[in-house]
Structures are given as C-alpha cells and as structure tokens.
Amino acid sequence: MNQDKIKNIVYWIATVLTALNYAFAGFSYIHQGPEVVAGMSQLGYPLYFVALLGFWKFLGAIAIVAPRLALVKEWAYAGMFINLTAASYSCAVSGLETFHIIMPLIGLIFVGLSYALRPASRRLEGVWHL
C-alpha cells in the first residue's frame, strides 16, 4: 500500500472518530443529560453554556466531514483545539481525576491527525499540512 493511501485511511479514521465524538457530545450537551449536568456542575459552568457548546460541537462534527467548505473546516478545527485544551485545563484546575484531564488531550491527537492529513480538496491553500 502506498503512503498516500495510508495517509488517506488514517485521515478518515481520525476524522470519523472525531466527528462521531463531537456529534454525540453535541447531542448530549443540547439535551443536557444527567451526566453532562453533573460534569458541568463539577466544573462550575452554567447550564446555558452547555447548550451553546453542544450546538457548536454538533456543527463542528458536520463541518469536518462535509465536502468542500475549507474555511469552515479551519474554524471547526480551531474550535475543537480550543474546546479540548480548555476542557483539559478546566478539569485540571477543578481537581478532577487525571483521566478527565488526559481524555481531551487524547481527543486532541485525533483532531490534530485529521487536520494535518486532510486531502488537498479539504484545505485552504497555503495552510500547513503533512
């Protein structure tokens, strides 16, 4: 198997896993399930923020799998980076278990792979890629 094909497979695996994670989280946040409410309470975030965050998570999931829309994808990936680093930091300063601090950073690896391995048709010209 050639290197381009391997990159494409890794790209799609990372992208689909990221999109599914964000779509599920978006749905859970919008519907404010009990585990989401409990988690956000531990972090000290108000519930109105949860619904807003869920809406943007859901749109981000759609953006990274939709064809074309290179500029929208750039914003979605930036939002995911900010979301995941903020989630990790929030868990750390709130004194949550190490698991809760590390999991967003693992998600960040998948976001980074998806971003870096995007095919040319899914990126803006002149934007960094592998």
Side-chain angles (χ1 to χ4, degrees), residues 29 37-46 86-87 89-96:
Y29 280 35
V37 171
M40 289 297 171
S41 295
Q42 282 183 299
L43 295 172
Y45 291 118
Y89 181 76
S90 293
C91 290
V93 299
S94 295
L96 297 184

Side-chain angles (χ1 to χ4, degrees), residues 11-12 15 60-77 118-124:
Y11 162 76
W12 278 110
T15 301
I62 293 169
I64 66 168
V65 295
R68 294 178 290 280
L69 305 173
L71 183 60
V72 174
K73 290 179 193 322
E74 290 293 323
W75 282 99
Y77 284 117
R118 288 169 301 149
S121 63
R122 293 179 167 266
R123 62 177 110 92
L124 289 174

Side-chain angles (χ1 to χ4, degrees), residues 14-31:
T15 301
V16 168
L17 290 175
T18 299
L20 287 173
N21 179 49
Y22 267 79
F24 177 74
F27 181 82
S28 297
Y29 280 35
I30 290 167
H31 287 86

Side-chain angles (χ1 to χ4, degrees), residues 107-125:
L108 190 58
I109 292 169
F110 285 93
V111 170
L113 283 170
S114 176
Y115 181 81
L117 298 175
R118 288 169 301 149
S121 63
R122 293 179 167 266
R123 62 177 110 92
L124 289 174
E125 267 189 51

Side-chain angles (χ1 to χ4, degrees), residues 81-106:
F81 175 82
I82 292 165
N83 170 248
L84 292 167
T85 55
S88 182
Y89 181 76
S90 293
C91 290
V93 299
S94 295
L96 297 184
E97 298 87 15
T98 304
F99 170 82
H100 294 289
I101 299 165
I102 292 172
M103 286 311 291
L105 299 177
I106 292 171

